């Protein structure tokens, strides 16, 4: 049985394994070839064969890890160009940019503003994961190191934008234990920077004047044995940066050129400097095409809401809908005496319904039950939203927590009203309008 041209097992005519005589090895080999099983599960594979196969079957883009503990992030590992082909693997991470050319007040203000972006959406905490600290050539080393210390104190993963070997070494002495990225290798200093990053055990960022120079520099670093890399695809302007980032990804995924098979850094603070609206627009573009780390001058709460929503939608399995955790969600200060409404756990439905309820200004409790991530009518047709499931959820999770005995159900499943009244004695069942947009008027009139 061969995989990627490498012989895995030699089979007898009866397809029994020569090593153990098991007739199941052919089936096992097929599973390995399809990616459904790990070759390491076979006890007869040598370490040399395992290493060869691991390299041959690895994703065309290398998986790189940065940070430590609960701030460890995975970059790369992608296998497709388009999300709908299969799924994207490692979500884009966002960084704010600091520079040794900034005064202390500006640095402090940026770090303080960054902390304000911290909220939960569909079970995921949204915040700025990284800080990019750029060394401006000619600036005092001590000033740069002071900024590195301030950035490190935030607990975020650092990206050190520094091509000066001495300054980079001093910065790594401060923060190398947190596993930052040293983004400082280029054609002129590749060997020295590679040694510095390897000795410190950190990821090395590589840049080039153009794609040809970037390619040659990466090939040189790989020849030195360093494959713990990210590629800075930032160009002279937006057009060049977009072309670089897309071509690098296509070369890795479509052409299977592993020299370009690394995650990418896109520094918007360079190509759209001092234009926060352009940076916000470009951040959404490079989240889709194909920035592994996107660097901005700043991240405001208002900018984060749509950007992080886009990222969450993009980096989820298209075959598995996003769902909201079942439970009681108070809206507009709802308490135990407030009106109860129910809908399904499909995230889109939740956000549409909860948004309209918030607009009404009426205190209420939104009850979310498990409907397997389906919309209202789909869940009803599949038996995931029925009088039985709603009644069971209310009895087990709601009745002992609220005093109100009025329950509003979605208008499109009004047929459940009679059964619910029978299964929930003491509850008044009310049918809502068919469309969420009508909830504002409904709630105000009901009040």
């Amino acid at each position: 049985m061969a995989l990627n041209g490498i012989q895995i097992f030699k089979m007898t005519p009866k397809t029994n394994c020569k090593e153990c005589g098991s007739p199941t090895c052919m089936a096992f080999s097929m599973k390995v070839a399809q990616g459904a099983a790990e070759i390491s599960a076979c006890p007869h594979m040598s370490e040399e064969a395992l290493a060869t196969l691991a390299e041959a079957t690895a994703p065309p883009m290398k998986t790189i890890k940065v940070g430590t503990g609960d701030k460890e992030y995975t970059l790369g590992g992608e296998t497709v160009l388009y999300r709908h082909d299969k799924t994207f693997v490692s979500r884009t991470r966002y960084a704010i940019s600091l520079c040794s050319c900034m005064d202390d007040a500006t640095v402090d203000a940026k770090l303080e503003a960054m902390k304000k972006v911290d909220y939960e959406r569909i079970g995921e905490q949204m915040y700025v994961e990284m800080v990019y600290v750029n060394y401006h050539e000619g600036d005092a080393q001590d000033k740069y190191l002071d900024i590195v210390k301030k950035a490190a104190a935030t607990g975020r993963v650092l990206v050190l934008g520094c091509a000066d070997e001495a300054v980079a070494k001093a910065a790594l002495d401060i923060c190398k234990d947190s596993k930052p990225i040293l983004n400082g290798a280029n054609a002129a200093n590749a060997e020295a920077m590679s040694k510095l990053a390897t000795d410190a055990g950190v990821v090395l960022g590589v840049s080039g004047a153009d794609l040809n120079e970037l390619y040659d520099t990466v090939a040189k670093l790989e020849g030195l044995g360093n494959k713990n890399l990210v590629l800075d695809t930032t160009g002279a302007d937006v057009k060049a940066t977009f072309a670089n980032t897309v071509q690098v990804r296509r070369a890795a995924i479509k052409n299977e050129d592993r020299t370009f098979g690394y995650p990418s850094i896109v520094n918007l603070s360079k190509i759209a400097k001092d234009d926060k609206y352009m940076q916000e627009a470009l951040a959404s573009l490079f989240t889709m095409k194909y920035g592994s780390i996107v660097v901005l001058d700043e991240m405001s709460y208002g900018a984060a809401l749509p950007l992080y929503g886009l990222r969450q939608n993009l980096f989820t399995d298209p075959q598995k809908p996003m769902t909201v955790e079942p439970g009681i969600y108070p809206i507009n200060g709802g308490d135990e005496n407030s009106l109860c409404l129910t809908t399904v756990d499909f995230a889109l439905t939740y956000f549409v319904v909860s948004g309209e309820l918030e607009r009404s200004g009426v205190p209420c409790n939104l009850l979310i039950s498990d409907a397997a991530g389906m919309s209202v009518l789909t869940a009803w047709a599949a038996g995931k939203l029925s009088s039985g499931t709603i009644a069971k959820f209310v009895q087990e999770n709601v009745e002992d927590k609220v005093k109100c005995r009025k329950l509003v159900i979605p208008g499109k499943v009004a047929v459940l009203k009679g059964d619910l009244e029978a299964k929930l004695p003491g509850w008044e069942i009310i049918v809502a309008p068919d469309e969420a947009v009508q909830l504002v008027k409904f709630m105000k009139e009901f009040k």
Side-chain angles (χ1 to χ4, degrees), residues 105-396:
T106 301
V107 170
D108 293 342
K110 280 175 168 280
L111 292 175
E112 194 60 34
M114 175 188 73
K115 298 176 184 177
K116 295 179 181 178
V117 180
D118 190 356
Y119 63 96
E120 184 178 325
R121 183 180 190 269
I122 317 181
E124 180 185 350
Q125 204 66 26
M126 306 295 191
Y127 58 94
V128 180
E129 296 99 346
M130 298 184 176
V131 179
Y132 190 101
V133 190
N134 186 59
Y135 175 68
H136 189 267
E137 187 176 354
D139 286 345
Q141 175 177 317
D142 289 346
K143 183 177 181 182
Y144 179 69
L145 298 182
D146 286 342
I147 298 175
V148 171
K149 291 176 183 176
K150 287 182 179 181
T154 65
R156 315 301 167 96
V157 176
L158 301 191
V159 183
L160 304 174
C162 180
D164 185 301
E165 184 183 355
V167 177
K169 185 178 186 307
L172 284 174
D173 288 341
I174 295 171
C175 62
K176 64 182 178 182
D177 290 343
S178 63
K179 300 301 178 185
I181 297 172
L182 173 58
N183 187 31
N186 54 45
N189 66 5
E191 189 170 348
M193 280 295 176
S194 180
K195 185 179 186 308
L196 188 57
T198 302
D199 290 346
V202 302
V203 175
L204 180 64
V206 191
S207 61
D210 53 34
L211 284 182
N212 290 328
E213 183 175 291
L214 178 62
Y215 189 92
D216 292 342
T217 305
V218 173
K220 180 178 180 180
L221 289 166
E222 289 183 330
L224 295 170
N226 191 349
K227 294 187 177 182
N228 197 22
L229 309 172
V230 295
L231 311 184
D232 191 332
T233 56
T234 310
D237 51 28
V238 174
K239 180 180 179 181
T241 302
F242 182 76
N244 291 347
T245 308
V246 172
Q247 288 183 57
V248 163
R249 180 65 59 92
R250 287 179 65 87
I253 304 297
K254 188 174 180 180
N255 300 332
E256 298 186 355
D257 189 334
R258 292 178 184 265
T259 302
F260 268 164
Y262 295 96
S264 58
I265 298 177
V266 177
N267 195 335
L268 302 181
S269 67
K270 288 185 176 180
I271 59 175
K273 189 172 178 59
D274 299 326
D275 188 341
K276 69 175 184 178
Y277 298 112
M278 177 60 79
Q279 287 189 32
E280 290 168 8
L282 292 176
S284 64
L285 170 66
F286 285 105
T287 298
M288 295 183 288
K289 301 282 187 182
Y290 292 102
S292 303
I293 300 172
V294 173
V295 184
L296 302 98
D297 277 330
E298 61 183 55
M299 178 73 79
S300 66
Y301 188 81
L305 288 173
L307 184 60
Y308 282 74
L310 169 67
R311 182 182 74 172
Q312 192 173 48
N313 290 338
L314 192 64
F315 287 91
T316 52
D317 189 335
Q319 303 301 319
K320 297 178 182 178
M322 288 187 293
T323 60
V324 177
E325 190 71 21
I328 303 173
Y329 291 80
I331 294 176
N332 299 325
D335 57 26
E336 60 183 6
N337 297 307
S338 301
L339 178 68
C340 296
L341 303 93
T342 188
T343 190
V344 293
D345 61 347
F346 180 40
L348 180 58
T349 299
Y350 167 80
F351 282 114
V352 171
V353 171
S354 62
E356 297 300 328
L357 292 177
E358 287 177 3
R359 284 207 308 129
S360 75
V362 179
C364 60
N365 292 310
L366 183 57
L367 313 182
I368 301 296
S369 59
D370 184 0
M374 299 179 184
S375 62
V376 171
L377 284 179
T378 307
W380 172 71
K384 300 294 184 179
L385 181 68
S386 65
S387 58
T389 61
I390 295 174
K392 182 179 180 181
F393 179 78
V394 170
Q395 290 165 347
E396 294 181 356

Side-chain angles (χ1 to χ4, degrees), residues 1-74:
M1 177 68 188
L3 177 61
N4 284 8
I6 302 169
Q7 191 72 28
I8 303 177
F9 301 108
K10 292 182 179 179
M11 312 304 292
T12 68
K14 294 181 179 179
T15 72
N16 289 1
C17 176
K18 262 192 170 183
E19 297 288 343
C20 63
S22 170
T24 62
C25 282
M26 177 62 82
F28 173 74
S29 301
M30 292 300 297
K31 287 184 178 180
V32 171
Q34 295 164 3
E38 294 291 334
I39 190 63
S40 58
C42 176
H44 307 296
M45 293 293 295
S46 67
E47 290 186 6
E48 181 182 357
L50 284 174
T52 303
L53 284 167
E55 179 72 19
T57 58
M61 174 174 286
K62 191 172 177 63
T63 299
I64 300 294
K65 291 186 180 295
V66 298
T68 59
D70 61 351
K71 295 295 191 296
E72 180 181 78
Y73 305 116
T74 298

